[in-house]
Amino acid sequence: MPEIRVTPLGAGQDVGRSCILVSIAGKNVMLDCGMHMGFNDDRRFPDFSYITQNGRLTDFLDCVIISHFHLDHCGALPYFSEMVGYDGPIYMTHPTQAICPILLEDYRKIAVDKKGEANFFTSQMIKDCMKKVVAVHLHQTVQVDDELEIKAYYAGHVLGAAMFQIKVGSESVVYTGDYNMTPDRHLGAAWIDKCRPNLLITESTYATTIRDSKRCRERDFLKKVHETVERGGKVLIPVFALGRAQELCILLETFWERMNLKVPIYFSTGLTEKANHYYKLFITWTNQKIRKTFVQRNMFEFKHIKAFDRAFADNPGPMVVFATPGMLHAGQSLQIFRKWAGNEKNMVIMPGYCVQGTVGHKILSGQRKLEMEGRQLEVKMQVEYMSFSAHADAKGIMQLVGQAEPERVLLVHGEAKKMEFLRQKIEQEFRVSCYMPANGETVTLPTSPSIPVGISLGLLKREMAQGLLPEAKKPRLLHGTLIMKDSSFRLVSSEQALKELGLAEHQLRFTCRVHLQDTRKEQETALRVYSHLKSTLKDHCVQHLPDGSVTVESILIQAAAHSEDPGTKVLLVSWTYQDEELGSFLTALLKKGLPQAPS
Amino acid sequence: MKLYCLSGHPTLPCNVLKFKSTTIMLDCGLDMTSTLNFLPLPLVQSPRLSNLPGWSLKDGNAFLDKELKECSGHVFVDSVPEFCLPETELIDLSTVDVILISNYHCMMALPYITEHTGFTGTVYATEPTVQIGRLLMEELVNFIERVPKAQSASLWKNKDIQRLLPSPLKDAVEVSTWRRCYTMQEVNSALSKIQLVGYSQKIELFGAVQVTPLSSGYALGSSNWIIQSHYEKVSYVSGSSLLTTHPQPMDQASLKNSDVLVLTGLTQIPTANPDGMVGEFCSNLALTVRNGGNVLVPCYPSGVIYDLLECLYQYIDSAGLSNIPFYFISPVANSSLEFSQIFAEWLCHNKQSKMYLPEPPFPHAELIQTNKLKHYPSIHGDFSNDFKQPCVVFTGHPSLRFGDVVHFMELWGKSSLNTVIFTEPDFSYLEALAPYQPLAMKCIYCPIDTRLNFIQVSKLLKEVQPLHVVCPEQYTQPPPAQSHRMDLMIDCQPPAMSYRRADVLALPFKRRYEKIEIMPELADSLVPMEIKPGISLATVSAVLHTKDNKHVLQPPPRPTQPTSGKKRKQRHGFSDIKVEDTAKGHIVLLQEAETLIQIEEDSTHIICDNDEMLRVRLRDLVLKFLQKF
């Protein structure tokens, strides 16, 4: 029995280190290759030894697909391809291909230069890894090999984020990566057609959350920022350089303009300028509104937002600073946080999800005393959380399941408890099985693909024409012969098959004698049989032939005198095996006798 | 399978393909050469044009002098310019299911089709095609609407009068169907019917046919199309290029194994080498400017202009032209320059890699930044303040009948210092210049047409090996002006089928198979038998389900009755069997049951009483035996 097997190496009942192995119709595909923000040891990368202990990864994997540029989806890629060793194709969209190496380099610098880690991937490895990347367009059907094809759909999570359909023959899996079902200020909403995959693998970050309207959240955010700077406080917004950062920049920029505010807004790291440049070049990946107006006004050219210098952190007076990275686990955002944490006038706004083990996660769960580099840090500044993550909420996930109409659903990229809730909801609402394997756990799903064959047009047309007759409601049987030659399958009419292969047909014919009590002449008996059948079998073609015989479709009925008993007539009902059903029915019918003729 | 040919213009095609149950329009090009018969629309009142004498018949009858004007021996219609539409009567256009667009030049008739024929289908095109197509339409509408003309001539179109007119008016075809330009509202409505597609995207039409756009290498987002079912494949090749200019290279491999290849949009200047033309363009431009003259380049707002600007970017410093201003004047100049920079995914590899840096893919961004290239929506406004001579002006329309170019022709035509350089190949430059004669300015003809030439075509056809080629009739004979050049035509075996406007071709195509799916349950129940080495047969009896043009075979509703495992008839309780040999085979007699089985080489006939049980038993036995052979 064919089957689809799914094994998460990461992101199974967890967020971070996304890496899912899928086997479909003999093809092995790895979906995402991420790192885990919460760990600094071996656990930060997926355990690739699961795929093969000693063979080469290239021999086991047909392709690798990266859904978007966030490090928890691509952070392990150079390690995987250059250090473990993989030379096959890696697919991602153009924006992902453009931005991914920059974030990887950033990540490498923090790990190696700042934390002094050894045995990490090098800049050259990132470059070599990116050479294996094949960029894909949205909706383009990419033929990985003769059988395996993949197709990207818009996911709306960050610039270039995509969902992927993986298809072999009539079997398919859709992997969503991270996605967002509501358009925001710079991205559109995720969309997929009714592709009815055998399996939908969806993220479930916000499995239990139904978010209030976006407008409210934005108003809340702006109010908090505004109040803090009004009373002279500093606002720290930890973000990843690309993604939410641009969204919040657009939001603050328009607010500053409308309110005519003068308080400085800074964006940390030199990446900003570059990042915004990417947004300008990839404007076709943003939402409708930005695309429509970009000629007049490019939304990614900010007037109020300036580059940050680390000396600015000690400046007196209010300011707003966007700093990377987003979960306060390292880098500039963490440095600024340590400087500002002691002052209750200040505020830190966490605009996205924080992985367990990060400082962001600790302060969000209410911890106010932190141990950092051997010193105690008391957090007096206000800590706010605002969900600006561009993930689908429970409603959005249900919406996507409804759009794609999968046979089964599998949840990844979420917390076990929340997943459980969503799993039940999906099973109830859509009546499809829903799975949530842990890391290293394999889910095996049997599939039953139908077999495509070629049917000769003559046979098909003949059958369809007959299907249009009034008895269409009754299922009609199509008779044909399947010719299997090499790997080609053709269904043709029996006559054609015989002719093609030079075989003689063996006809199987039945003739049944039915005895009838009837003293009249044979011709009259035949006439009675005719009128009886004509009135009984309204759906069939009943004919009375000049030679006295009666036909029902291709079944021949002849009346003959009984050799011994003149009061009995013998009906000879004759049919070929193809008409077996009707023939059998007719003899049974005639056996019951004819209705009394009106005398 | 039929092809309805609605346009006679080989590079502005409009064909309708009927394939299986679908009706597919391939492109809807608008033949704008009709406008050459009209007087130019000047932006600023032109005494010369308004004082042209009216035309009168040989006998002196001047009743047409309001409609027709004469200029240097040519006669022009003094009216709002009109375009020659594709045939609208040959086929009921409301039955068209989809329109496939191959590039932005081949969609200019779209509003006429989608807005005025009862069309209710979908249009498919790539995003750059739509965006740049919109710019071309916007520019056209703007050019014509901003110079309102009260007069609309129609008298000359009368068949009896047209006969009396001089050439080329006398020979103009279908003048009664010529139409004025559409409005912006119609453009927007037409464009709203477009669905965006990407290269290599497979689009299902009603489950019957699959269409796929492929990169054609000619322009931003330009595509060829594959129209296929499981057993038949039609390739539509329209406006393709093998030269390395800015667009993504042409995808040739996917065109292989076509049953029919429809070939349109070849180069209009088969004798000119585009690279040589670019060189000539640059040197003539430099020569004129150095002598203190101005250069006018009539052009479309997108396409070759990007390549020309790139050449000039590399050329101007070495040619000492750094102080010469370049002006690009079009209502959509800014949009065109901006849009060109955001479609990096659709560009050639070199340009694509720029976006990873990230840098704008085209160097004209730098020309603008350094103020060497300036763009304006029209000659009015800022331009008149900034205007310095000598200069180079890129502006439309290449027909020289409307747009800002008319103004520059009037302004610079009298001085031999100035040069007009024709780069667009769509209009004959002599005809374009006719209403401006006599002219003192220099005229240089450097047509740059990057589309396939005949050498490339024959290489392509050898490579992709279509069974049949269909093309406009112009391609099956040498051009009229070079009738000895037998190399300037398509040469293939079997000879290409040619079409002309209003032809209906029956494509040589026999469909023999259709895809059907066998449900796994049914497949399990099939018993294949090996008849010959490598060939197996299985008889199939199944229920046919057809929905949305997809056919599925399901298992028959009643399971077949289980057969008993016994093999010999004796064991079935038939004791009184008598076997007789006959000429052709054997007869088995079951005396007690009064049953007769005639077994011959190619048939078995069971004659029995009406005992269903017995009959079914015999049937299954016989079938079992038959299966074994």
Side-chain angles (χ1 to χ4, degrees):
Chain A
M1 198 68 175
E3 56 187 31
I4 295 175
R5 269 174 302 144
V6 182
T7 314
L9 297 185
Q13 302 182 5
D14 186 19
V15 175
R17 202 175 60 179
S18 281
C19 184
I20 299 133
L21 292 177
V22 173
S23 296
I24 173 171
K27 303 283 171 185
N28 298 317
V29 178
M30 187 163 102
L31 304 168
D32 280 336
C33 188
M35 52 81 94
H36 202 296
M37 312 263 183
F39 299 116
N40 276 325
D41 50 21
D42 281 352
R43 288 172 295 171
R44 73 180 151 208
F45 292 149
D47 178 12
F48 298 115
S49 65
Y50 179 93
I51 305 174
T52 165
Q53 290 290 345
N54 35 33
R56 287 167 46 76
L57 286 172
T58 318
D59 301 334
F60 284 84
L61 292 174
D62 291 281
C63 75
V64 174
I65 295 172
I66 302 295
S67 64
H68 64 284
F69 59 63
H70 276 157
L71 289 173
D72 57 331
H73 293 260
C74 69
L77 202 54
Y79 169 75
F80 163 78
S81 75
E82 305 311 305
M83 297 174 78
V84 184
Y86 168 78
D87 298 319
I90 302 168
Y91 292 97
M92 55 178 81
T93 64
H94 286 271
T96 309
Q97 191 192 356
I99 295 165
C100 191
I102 294 168
L103 297 187
L104 286 171
E105 182 57 31
D106 234 41
Y107 171 45
R108 191 196 68 81
K109 267 192 200 144
I110 291 175
V112 177
D113 300 353
K114 297 239 169 83
K115 293 189 189 152
E117 285 187 45
N119 198 22
F120 209 75
F121 52 79
T122 63
S123 294
Q124 188 55 44
M125 286 179 183
I126 298 176
K127 282 187 192 129
D128 292 341
C129 165
M130 294 311 289
K131 281 182 196 148
K132 297 171 184 169
V133 171
V134 180
V136 302
H137 297 267
L138 273 188
H139 301 165
Q140 173 191 12
T141 304
V142 179
Q143 217 67 50
V144 177
D145 57 35
D146 285 347
E147 288 150 345
L148 175 62
E149 57 181 48
I150 61 172
K151 179 176 176 183
Y153 290 93
Y154 192 79
H157 173 64
V158 286
L159 196 73
M163 309 190 276
F164 280 89
Q165 181 190 45
I166 300 106
K167 199 172 169 195
V168 182
S170 61
E171 294 171 75
S172 65
V173 171
V174 168
Y175 171 58
T176 64
D178 293 354
Y179 63 101
N180 188 9
M181 293 299 282
T182 44
D184 60 22
R185 273 166 197 272
H186 79 291
L187 295 171
W191 177 87
I192 194 161
D193 53 9
K194 207 180 280 308
C195 54
R196 299 197 175 97
N198 298 98
L199 178 68
L200 174 76
I201 304 174
T202 172
E203 65 132 324
S204 49
T205 324
Y206 289 114
T208 55
T209 321
I210 303 262
R211 279 178 296 180
D212 45 2
S213 94
K214 238 187 61 202
R215 221 163 258 286
C216 293
R217 260 178 295 146
E218 288 179 356
R219 209 182 304 129
D220 243 33
F221 169 79
L222 293 170
K223 202 173 130 209
K224 280 184 180 137
V225 172
H226 194 197
E227 278 170 6
T228 309
V229 295
E230 283 285 277
R231 63 167 183 261
K234 297 176 167 64
V235 181
L236 171 65
I237 308 171
V239 287
F240 289 99
L242 294 127
R244 287 310 84 195
Q246 279 69 26
E247 178 76 7
L248 295 174
C249 284
I250 294 175
L251 188 61
L252 278 190
E253 168 94 4
T254 36
F255 185 71
W256 249 236
E257 192 146 312
R258 195 173 42 158
M259 304 295 283
N260 201 14
L261 296 178
K262 296 284 176 265
V263 176
I265 307 176
Y266 298 114
F267 200 113
S268 84
T269 81
L271 212 70
T272 349
E273 194 84 358
K274 218 173 174 185
N276 291 338
H277 223 97
Y278 279 117
Y279 277 82
K280 282 188 231 166
L281 289 178
F282 287 112
I283 217 107
T284 52
W285 285 80
T286 60
N287 68 26
Q288 198 85 31
K289 197 180 153 205
I290 292 191
R291 270 156 53 186
K292 259 200 169 142
T293 56
F294 91 103
V295 176
Q296 288 77 42
R297 180 165 181 217
N298 199 317
M299 285 304 272
F300 299 105
E301 275 161 18
F302 302 116
K303 274 189 260 167
H304 297 272
I305 301 167
K306 306 268 166 13
F308 181 75
D309 186 288
R310 86 177 39 194
F312 294 174
D314 299 317
N315 285 0
M319 67 175 84
V320 180
V321 175
F322 289 97
T324 55
M327 297 185 193
L328 284 181
H329 56 283
Q332 198 153 32
S333 62
L334 192 59
Q335 281 170 23
I336 300 173
F337 173 75
R338 270 155 63 187
K339 271 194 182 144
W340 293 358
N343 192 335
E344 61 275 6
K345 265 207 283 186
N346 298 340
M347 179 183 281
V348 58
I349 300 181
M350 306 298 299
Y353 183 88
C354 286
V355 166
Q356 239 173 13
T358 58
V359 174
H361 188 267
K362 283 177 195 157
I363 59 170
L364 280 183
S365 49
Q367 210 175 323
R368 287 296 173 263
K369 290 213 164 67
L370 301 171
E371 180 91 14
M372 251 189 269
E373 289 174 10
R375 269 187 292 164
Q376 279 280 335
L377 179 74
E378 194 173 345
V379 181
K380 286 190 187 151
M381 79 197 295
Q382 295 175 53
V383 178
E384 293 288 343
Y385 171 72
M386 295 228 138
S387 161
F388 276 99
S389 288
H391 291 280
D393 60 3
K395 214 169 90 194
I397 297 171
M398 298 300 276
Q399 212 180 325
L400 187 91
V401 175
Q403 265 183 24
E405 279 192 10
E407 275 172 23
R408 300 175 177 101
V409 178
L410 189 144
L411 304 178
V412 293
H413 201 282
E415 290 161 26
K417 240 190 276 165
K418 295 180 180 174
M419 275 185 179
E420 181 56 41
F421 173 82
L422 183 67
R423 190 176 72 88
Q424 285 175 9
K425 214 172 140 188
I426 289 175
E427 290 193 336
Q428 268 170 22
E429 191 155 317
F430 295 103
R431 312 221 162 272
V432 298
S433 327
C434 185
Y435 309 84
M436 39 176 282
N439 287 335
E441 191 185 320
T442 302
V443 175
T444 306
L445 310 163
T447 58
S448 53
S450 40
I451 295 149
V453 302
I455 183 170
S456 88
L457 213 59
L459 178 62
L460 182 67
K461 281 201 171 148
R462 194 172 76 198
E463 288 302 317
M464 300 235 305
Q466 275 162 343
L468 293 177
L469 293 176
E471 83 262 37
K473 278 185 198 119
K474 198 176 106 198
R476 252 190 68 84
L477 280 186
L478 173 150
H479 301 287
T481 302
L482 189 64
I483 306 178
M484 288 161 267
K485 189 177 169 185
D486 304 324
S487 58
S488 90
F489 288 55
R490 287 176 304 135
L491 184 63
V492 299
S493 63
S494 307
E495 303 86 39
Q496 191 187 336
L498 292 167
K499 215 167 129 193
E500 232 175 82
L501 298 168
L503 294 177
E505 183 177 20
H506 192 100
Q507 198 186 52
L508 178 56
R509 198 167 183 89
F510 302 98
T511 303
C512 262
R513 292 186 289 266
V514 182
H515 298 268
L516 274 185
Q517 293 299 319
D518 194 349
T519 51
R520 279 166 269 209
K521 283 213 172 83
E522 292 96 59
Q523 288 89 334
E524 286 170 47
T525 311
L527 205 58
R528 278 182 67 200
V529 169
Y530 168 69
S531 48
H532 172 54
L533 293 179
K534 183 86 182 164
S535 61
T536 323
L537 306 170
K538 290 211 164 61
D539 291 345
H540 294 275
C541 167
V542 183
Q543 279 181 308
H544 192 211
L545 300 182
D547 69 352
S549 53
V550 176
T551 58
V552 179
E553 307 286 353
S554 57
I555 295 174
L556 187 72
I557 304 170
Q558 283 172 313
H562 196 278
S563 50
E564 291 149 25
D565 181 4
T568 305
K569 294 288 172 297
V570 181
L571 291 178
L572 292 170
V573 185
S574 183
W575 69 92
T576 59
Y577 181 56
Q578 278 79 5
D579 294 315
E580 174 69 9
E581 200 182 347
L582 185 60
S584 156
F585 171 75
L586 266 185
T587 50
L589 180 76
L590 290 170
K591 204 173 172 183
K592 287 186 201 139
L594 298 175
Q596 274 309 305
S599 38
Chain B
M1 177 109 139
K2 278 194 170 144
L3 190 71
Y4 297 76
C5 311
L6 310 186
S7 160
H9 196 300
T11 28
L12 298 167
C14 183
N15 294 316
V16 174
L17 177 71
K18 284 207 173 195
F19 181 25
K20 286 179 85 177
S21 49
T22 56
T23 306
I24 303 170
M25 179 179 279
L26 306 169
D27 277 332
C28 43
L30 183 63
D31 187 349
M32 292 200 244
T33 51
S34 56
T35 60
L36 293 173
N37 295 301
F38 292 78
L39 270 191
L41 291 180
L43 264 178
V44 183
Q45 174 78 13
S46 155
R48 186 187 69 86
L49 284 172
S50 44
N51 291 332
L52 286 176
W55 180 79
S56 49
L57 289 169
K58 275 189 197 119
D59 59 7
N61 194 335
F63 72 105
L64 280 167
D65 66 348
K66 288 271 182 306
E67 293 201 348
L68 301 179
K69 306 282 175 183
E70 196 166 351
C71 175
S72 307
H74 286 86
V75 177
F76 298 94
V77 182
D78 187 13
S79 169
V80 183
E82 294 178 334
F83 307 118
C84 177
L85 271 54
E87 287 290 321
T88 49
E89 304 293 318
L90 191 62
I91 180 172
D92 179 1
L93 292 175
S94 69
T95 62
V96 171
D97 298 311
V98 295
I99 302 178
L100 309 180
I101 304 290
S102 58
N103 64 66
Y104 45 75
H105 286 300
C106 291
M107 61 185 281
M108 297 301 278
L110 197 61
Y112 294 116
I113 306 287
T114 60
E115 306 309 299
H116 300 288
T117 62
F119 172 80
T120 54
T122 313
V123 184
Y124 291 99
T126 64
E127 185 169 7
T129 300
V130 177
Q131 296 298 359
I132 296 174
R134 174 193 294 276
L135 297 183
L136 292 183
M137 292 182 180
E138 239 179 84
E139 186 190 60
L140 189 67
V141 173
N142 186 297
F143 280 164
I144 288 176
E145 283 186 352
R146 73 182 175 185
V147 200
K149 189 149 185 141
Q151 172 153 320
S152 177
S154 57
L155 210 53
W156 70 277
K157 290 185 179 180
N158 186 312
K159 272 212 165 72
D160 293 328
I161 296 173
Q162 200 197 348
R163 266 190 306 127
L164 307 170
L165 304 180
S167 270
L169 278 178
K170 184 171 69 178
D171 311 318
V173 289
E174 312 265 355
V175 288
S176 59
T177 63
W178 288 12
R179 291 284 172 272
R180 290 178 173 211
C181 189
Y182 30 73
T183 64
M184 217 38 224
Q185 196 188 352
E186 288 168 321
V187 170
N188 287 328
S189 170
L191 295 182
S192 72
K193 297 178 170 99
I194 299 183
Q195 198 166 321
L196 299 182
V197 293
Y199 288 151
S200 304
Q201 179 177 349
K202 295 178 177 170
I203 305 139
E204 289 283 336
L205 302 183
F206 317 108
V209 176
Q210 194 181 59
V211 296
T212 309
L214 305 172
S215 176
S216 78
Y218 165 58
L220 255 176
S222 71
S223 15
N224 292 322
W225 289 84
I226 302 283
I227 302 124
Q228 63 187 342
S229 65
H230 287 278
Y231 292 91
E232 301 88 15
K233 177 171 174 180
V234 179
S235 295
Y236 174 57
V237 174
S238 167
S240 299
S241 176
L242 292 170
L243 297 179
T244 320
T245 56
H246 58 272
Q248 221 179 85
M250 175 181 179
D251 178 352
Q252 296 182 66
S254 310
L255 298 172
K256 279 185 184 164
N257 303 322
S258 307
D259 296 287
V260 172
L261 186 139
V262 181
L263 184 61
T264 66
L266 303 183
T267 178
Q268 301 185 76
I269 322 288
T271 46
N273 166 16
D275 283 334
M277 287 296 141
V278 171
E280 223 168 283
F281 168 81
C282 288
S283 56
N284 277 298
L285 182 141
L287 191 71
T288 305
V289 175
R290 271 195 218 112
N291 292 332
N294 300 296
V295 176
L296 177 62
V297 187
C299 64
Y300 292 113
S302 176
V304 175
I305 184 172
Y306 302 144
D307 298 312
L308 291 179
L309 289 175
E310 186 158 358
C311 286
L312 290 172
Y313 168 80
Q314 292 156 357
Y315 182 74
I316 44 178
D317 287 331
S318 64
L321 302 175
S322 341
N323 298 319
I324 301 295
F326 287 77
Y327 300 118
F328 175 19
I329 303 169
S330 159
V332 297
N334 186 26
S335 300
S336 166
L337 293 171
E338 289 285 341
F339 270 114
S340 67
Q341 305 287 22
I342 67 161
F343 291 127
E345 288 179 48
W346 305 84
L347 294 175
C348 64
H349 183 75
N350 260 343
K351 296 219 174 323
Q352 243 181 45
S353 53
K354 286 230 170 139
M355 73 182 165
Y356 298 134
L357 297 176
E359 275 172 19
F362 284 100
H364 53 239
E366 204 183 314
L367 287 175
I368 295 169
Q369 235 170 25
T370 54
N371 259 333
K372 285 175 181 156
L373 174 68
K374 292 182 180 181
H375 55 84
Y376 304 89
S378 94
I379 51 165
H380 298 301
D382 291 344
F383 176 72
S384 39
N385 302 327
D386 300 351
F387 183 44
K388 279 192 200 76
Q389 303 190 69
C391 63
V392 179
V393 171
F394 294 89
T395 189
H397 186 273
S399 66
L400 305 191
R401 290 302 178 272
F402 35 82
D404 301 89
V405 74
V406 176
H407 176 75
F408 288 99
M409 282 305 295
E410 293 288 326
L411 186 70
W412 291 342
K414 291 167 220 90
S415 164
S416 59
L417 279 179
N418 302 326
T419 307
V420 54
I421 309 181
F422 291 88
T423 55
E424 302 286 355
D426 286 359
F427 301 91
S428 142
Y429 81 106
L430 289 174
E431 283 183 50
L433 288 170
Y436 299 94
Q437 299 293 0
L439 266 179
M441 88 193 291
K442 278 200 290 290
C443 304
I444 307 286
Y445 185 50
C446 299
I448 298 168
D449 196 330
T450 58
R451 286 172 279 210
L452 297 176
N453 62 34
F454 290 100
I455 299 167
Q456 292 164 329
V457 166
S458 83
K459 236 179 101 189
L460 176 74
L461 292 180
K462 270 197 196 106
E463 181 114 358
V464 305
Q465 300 266 350
L467 287 184
H468 300 279
V469 174
V470 176
C471 66
E473 66 167 350
Q474 290 92 330
Y475 297 158
T476 57
Q477 60 215 30
Q482 292 144 303
S483 52
H484 61 288
R485 292 286 301 266
M486 297 306 283
D487 56 327
L488 300 184
M489 56 183 275
I490 291 179
D491 179 26
C492 63
Q493 276 309 325
M497 298 178 68
S498 70
Y499 68 81
R500 58 172 78 184
R501 190 179 167 110
D503 272 355
V504 180
L505 296 189
L507 297 183
F509 214 99
K510 187 132 177 62
R511 293 184 49 223
R512 293 172 54 205
Y513 285 95
E514 176 68 277
K515 186 184 144 178
I516 195 165
E517 294 205 332
I518 296 187
M519 297 275 284
E521 297 84 359
L522 177 63
D524 283 345
S525 72
L526 296 181
V527 192
M529 284 176 298
E530 189 156 24
I531 298 291
K532 289 176 185 173
I535 303 176
S536 301
L537 287 189
T539 51
V540 179
S541 288
V543 179
L544 173 69
H545 278 261
T546 299
K547 197 184 164 195
D548 298 338
N549 287 320
K550 297 246 186 270
H551 311 292
V552 179
L553 281 185
Q554 294 180 347
R558 270 182 313 158
T560 46
Q561 280 161 0
T563 51
S564 83
K566 293 174 188 168
K567 287 179 183 171
R568 291 179 191 282
K569 287 184 185 175
Q570 282 88 339
R571 297 205 193 142
H572 277 271
F574 303 114
S575 50
D576 50 353
I577 301 170
K578 218 170 123 187
V579 181
E580 288 172 16
D581 288 351
T582 63
K584 283 172 159 176
H586 315 277
I587 294 178
V588 181
L589 275 171
L590 307 178
Q591 284 168 326
E592 199 181 318
E594 285 190 48
T595 294
L596 187 78
I597 306 173
Q598 295 175 341
I599 302 173
E600 290 173 9
E601 198 180 349
D602 59 354
S603 69
T604 301
H605 194 168
I606 300 174
I607 302 167
C608 64
D609 264 347
N610 192 2
D611 180 348
E612 189 69 7
M613 290 267 286
L614 172 70
R615 191 184 66 77
V616 167
R617 233 163 82 196
L618 285 172
R619 178 193 74 191
D620 293 336
L621 277 170
V622 171
L623 280 178
K624 222 162 159 171
F625 277 105
L626 285 173
Q627 294 256 320
K628 291 195 132 183
F629 302 114

